[in-house]
Amino acid sequence: VTKPHLSYHAWLGENRQRGAKMLHKFYQPNRVLLASVRRANPHSKCLAVHIRHSDKANRRKRIKILHFLPYVQTYLKNVPPSAMVYLATDSSEVMSRIRETWPTTVVIRIHTQDSTSDTAV
């Protein structure tokens, strides 16, 4: 559906909201999957961030880690303190750079698949 009178941002926002409603209405994960998700993320709110850097050989653009920070900060400012950020990455260097360059208040709320490892897949 095209709406030339809307900006791209407004059009995308409308469609994301419509898509989210449809997803919640028609998609119901099975109980086993839900139990697994709840064990992995006992918090009520979670932002998932996927930063891939090791497989960008085919001329795909590598997005700088700092470009993700404003989105993560905006999310964390608008959710309860118990909310977390789940980072999935294929590179231990990504987590190292985040620890070096992002504010500590953000870093302490980042979780990965394995809390003993810097890499989550």
Side-chain angles (χ1 to χ4, degrees):
V1 176
T2 60
K3 294 188 177 181
H5 63 285
L6 290 177
S7 70
Y8 178 72
H9 182 74
W11 179 86
L12 187 60
E14 269 188 21
N15 281 292
R16 287 183 67 140
Q17 288 176 350
R18 186 178 304 114
K21 286 178 185 176
M22 292 180 73
L23 183 69
H24 287 285
K25 182 176 180 180
F26 296 110
Y27 176 74
Q28 297 297 317
N30 68 43
R31 289 190 310 230
V32 174
L33 178 60
L34 280 175
S36 180
V37 168
R38 288 189 181 117
R39 279 193 308 276
N41 175 27
H43 307 284
S44 61
K45 300 276 185 183
C46 176
L47 172 68
V49 178
H50 191 188
I51 303 176
R52 295 182 67 149
H53 276 187
S54 70
D55 63 348
K56 299 297 182 186
N58 294 332
R59 297 186 187 147
R60 293 189 305 185
K61 184 178 178 183
R62 181 183 283 197
I63 299 171
K64 293 180 182 179
I65 296 168
L66 279 176
H67 290 317
F68 291 88
L69 181 58
Y71 298 100
V72 172
Q73 288 176 312
T74 299
Y75 169 76
L76 292 174
K77 286 178 186 174
N78 290 287
V79 294
S82 63
M84 63 179 250
V85 175
Y86 176 81
L87 173 66
T89 184
D90 58 351
S91 168
S92 59
E93 183 182 329
V94 168
M95 192 63 210
S96 295
R97 295 286 299 147
I98 286 173
R99 285 191 183 116
E100 292 169 8
T101 60
W102 288 17
T104 305
T105 55
V106 172
V107 173
I108 61 172
R109 293 177 71 184
I110 294 176
H111 297 259
T112 60
Q113 182 179 17
D114 180 359
S115 60
T116 63
S117 169
D118 286 343
T119 303
V121 280

